[in-house]
Amino acid sequence: MVERYETSLLLLCLFSFSVLVLASSPCPLTGLPLVRNISEIPQDNYGRAGLSHMTVAGSLLHGLKEVEVWLQTFSPGTYTPIHRHSCEEVFVVLKGSGTLYLASDSHGKYPGKPQEHFIFTNSTFHIPVNDVHQLWNTNEHEDLQVLVIISRPPVKLFAYEDWSMPHTAAQMKFPYYWDEQCYKESPKDEL
């Protein structure tokens, strides 16, 4: 009887230790709980002053296959890099206003001059696959907060120095900053 109790106690300790290790890992979840408190989700700026990024539901972090959801806040004057990716992207502006720059010539040699689109609280917009774009908080007085939904995660981003940079010279960033800790390369075939 004492042996069974000690074995049960040992198993309980091992389980508790495993839960503690997983909870302290940067990639703790293998799925999403049905209900979560958004204020308890970790956020970071990933070395980009003025940005707050939160992965609400992710592929590498939570195991989603088809979509990923982010909550991003940009302080006044901050912006994304000029970039493109091979996924669709939908934005919902929750707070603030700003400017979307979108160059729709993904089939030419370079993005070209972008069109400017004013965005504002309760507006929504989508970015087609491979269209080069940039989002700026051009509001001097208020943060810009957006909910972002992307298809085909995790995102593989191609960054541009300016709008006249050729598509072939864009620098690929994969995994992207918020996916780096959870990304595991597939084992390579030894043959």
Side-chain angles (χ1 to χ4, degrees):
M1 184 72 152
V2 171
E3 233 175 69
R4 285 177 55 187
Y5 173 76
E6 288 175 348
T7 302
S8 296
L9 187 59
L10 178 62
L11 287 172
L12 181 62
C13 288
L14 284 172
F15 175 76
S16 298
F17 178 74
S18 298
V19 168
L20 184 63
V21 167
L22 285 173
S24 64
S25 165
C27 309
L29 300 176
T30 56
L32 279 173
L34 183 61
V35 177
R36 295 176 20 195
N37 183 342
I38 202 163
S39 65
E40 296 173 359
I41 298 173
Q43 56 186 322
D44 198 341
N45 70 2
Y46 299 91
R48 290 176 42 200
L51 169 71
S52 171
H53 171 90
M54 175 189 304
T55 299
V56 175
S59 63
L60 296 178
L61 188 60
H62 305 111
L64 271 68
K65 305 275 188 254
E66 303 295 327
V67 297
E68 192 157 284
V69 180
W70 307 330
L71 181 63
Q72 296 182 324
T73 305
F74 298 87
S75 63
T78 59
Y79 49 87
T80 66
I82 300 169
H83 68 284
R84 68 177 167 87
H85 33 70
S86 60
C87 61
E88 295 171 305
E89 189 172 28
V90 176
F91 289 78
V92 178
V93 181
L94 302 176
K95 175 182 160 188
S97 60
T99 305
L100 165 68
Y101 296 93
L102 179 65
S104 300
D105 191 5
S106 58
H107 302 292
K109 292 185 179 189
Y110 57 92
K113 184 178 180 192
Q115 293 180 339
E116 294 182 27
H117 303 273
F118 177 68
I119 58 171
F120 48 90
T121 301
N122 294 330
S123 64
T124 184
F125 57 94
H126 73 278
I127 307 296
V129 173
N130 282 323
D131 279 3
V132 181
H133 58 285
Q134 183 178 44
L135 185 63
W136 277 72
N137 180 355
T138 50
N139 183 326
E140 297 175 6
H141 307 290
E142 186 177 23
D143 286 349
L144 171 64
Q145 187 174 59
V146 293
L147 188 67
V148 184
I149 301 98
I150 66 161
S151 66
R152 299 192 286 187
V155 69
K156 185 183 286 185
L157 187 136
F158 294 86
Y160 295 74
E161 292 175 14
D162 58 44
W163 296 96
S164 62
M165 183 176 196
H167 292 303
T168 56
Q171 297 295 307
M172 183 180 75
K173 175 66 175 144
F174 181 79
Y176 205 63
Y177 297 104
W178 38 84
D179 290 330
E180 285 178 337
Q181 292 179 320
C182 298
Y183 181 72
K184 293 181 179 108
E185 285 195 51
S186 302
K188 298 206 188 260
D189 189 352
E190 296 288 327
L191 299 175

